[in-house]
Amino acid sequence: MRPKGTAAAVGRSLRLYHGAAAPRAAMDALYRRFVSPGDLVFDIGAHVGDRVGAFRRLGARVVALEPQAGPARALRLLFSRDPGVTLVEAAAGEAEGAVWLALNHANPTVSTASASFIAAAADAPGWEGQVWDARVRCPATTLDALIARHGRPAFAKIDVEGFEDRVLAGLTAPLPALSFEFTTIARDVALRCLERLAMLGPYGFDLALGESQTLRLGRLAPAAEMAALLTGLPHAANSGDVYAVLRG
């Protein structure tokens, strides 16, 4: 039996991300900068698939990873008949095998494989009342393994609640473009992501705050400038996504 509140929480996400008020036009305009018709895209941490929908509207094929049973069930309902979408009920990390996922049944968008993320959220302003009330062992793969199986993506979106650096540790060759989520309670994770990408290739960076779907700089900044920008954000900025584009 699923814990009380899980189905309601997934339902809220479906209404929020797929309802009439969802910012489809803004999202499509943002991702059109990185995704073209016929491209392959990886959605790592797909949740209930609003980004999957955007990538499909742009004509891309999508490999979508989601380890949580409730959101994965929603993804199957939405996309299982779409031949352009491959659904994988697994996490991504630095090695193939399995990871322990801490579940937040009341708010599955912040379920995480990172114990340090949970520790950082404790008593942090804006994170009051968040409870990770169960742990589940789930299969894990790597970006390298996904590339070997499905091909090299033109773009990868990584949104895994403080585990983004571990996902990028499982990538050994640069991708043309990608995004990774950051939070102001775990800036060290974002800084490690920048370091990892700088090791992989000559990337430039921009960012979008929250769900604004708007790039803040409008240009590609070097890793050091992006690191300084992330470090200087106020705590209230909360979260957003860093976009990385391989130069030359």
Side-chain angles (χ1 to χ4, degrees):
M1 180 181 294
R2 282 175 288 165
K4 184 178 180 180
T6 303
V10 173
R12 286 196 302 272
S13 288
L14 286 168
R15 290 190 295 274
L16 176 64
Y17 295 117
H18 292 283
R24 294 180 182 84
M27 189 178 293
D28 293 356
L30 172 62
Y31 286 117
R32 190 173 286 113
R33 298 169 177 259
F34 311 103
V35 176
S36 299
D39 281 349
L40 174 65
V41 174
F42 289 172
D43 188 342
I44 310 299
H47 192 48
V48 295
D50 57 326
R51 266 63 176 182
V52 176
F55 300 141
R56 290 298 288 140
R57 290 192 297 273
L58 295 174
R61 296 174 293 116
V62 185
V63 175
L65 268 70
E66 176 53 54
Q68 297 183 80
R73 186 178 299 109
L75 288 171
R76 289 194 297 272
L77 289 171
L78 290 168
F79 299 109
S80 63
R81 296 185 180 182
D82 185 342
V85 177
T86 299
L87 301 175
V88 182
E89 194 167 339
E94 60 190 306
E96 291 190 279
V99 297
W100 283 102
L101 187 69
L103 302 177
N104 186 323
H105 286 108
N107 187 9
T109 60
V110 296
S111 293
T112 179
S114 171
S116 61
F117 180 83
I118 295 172
D123 301 321
W127 290 83
E128 298 89 346
Q130 296 298 327
V131 177
W132 288 266
D133 51 354
R135 293 174 76 230
V136 62
R137 191 80 163 160
C138 62
T141 187
T142 68
L143 288 174
D144 279 350
L146 290 170
I147 291 167
R149 191 169 301 123
H150 301 284
R152 182 174 182 247
F155 183 81
K157 166 245 165 187
I158 305 168
D159 182 348
V160 290
E161 308 308 317
F163 209 60
E164 289 80 8
D165 57 339
R166 297 299 85 206
V167 173
L168 287 175
L171 178 68
T172 58
L175 301 180
L178 60 87
S179 68
F180 63 85
E181 189 191 37
F182 71 88
T183 62
T184 54
I185 63 169
R187 301 176 207 242
D188 57 325
V189 174
L191 297 181
R192 287 194 292 272
C193 288
L194 292 174
E195 291 173 1
R196 177 64 179 169
L197 291 171
M199 290 175 58
L200 290 175
Y203 279 98
F205 302 91
D206 204 338
L207 86 163
L209 294 178
E211 289 290 335
S212 66
Q213 317 299 334
T214 301
L215 294 176
R216 180 167 177 169
L217 298 179
R219 60 181 174 83
L220 294 177
E225 181 180 346
M226 181 55 59
L229 196 162
L230 292 174
T231 301
L233 285 174
H235 173 78
N238 189 45
S239 66
D241 296 280
V242 174
Y243 290 80
V245 177
L246 193 64
R247 300 176 187 266

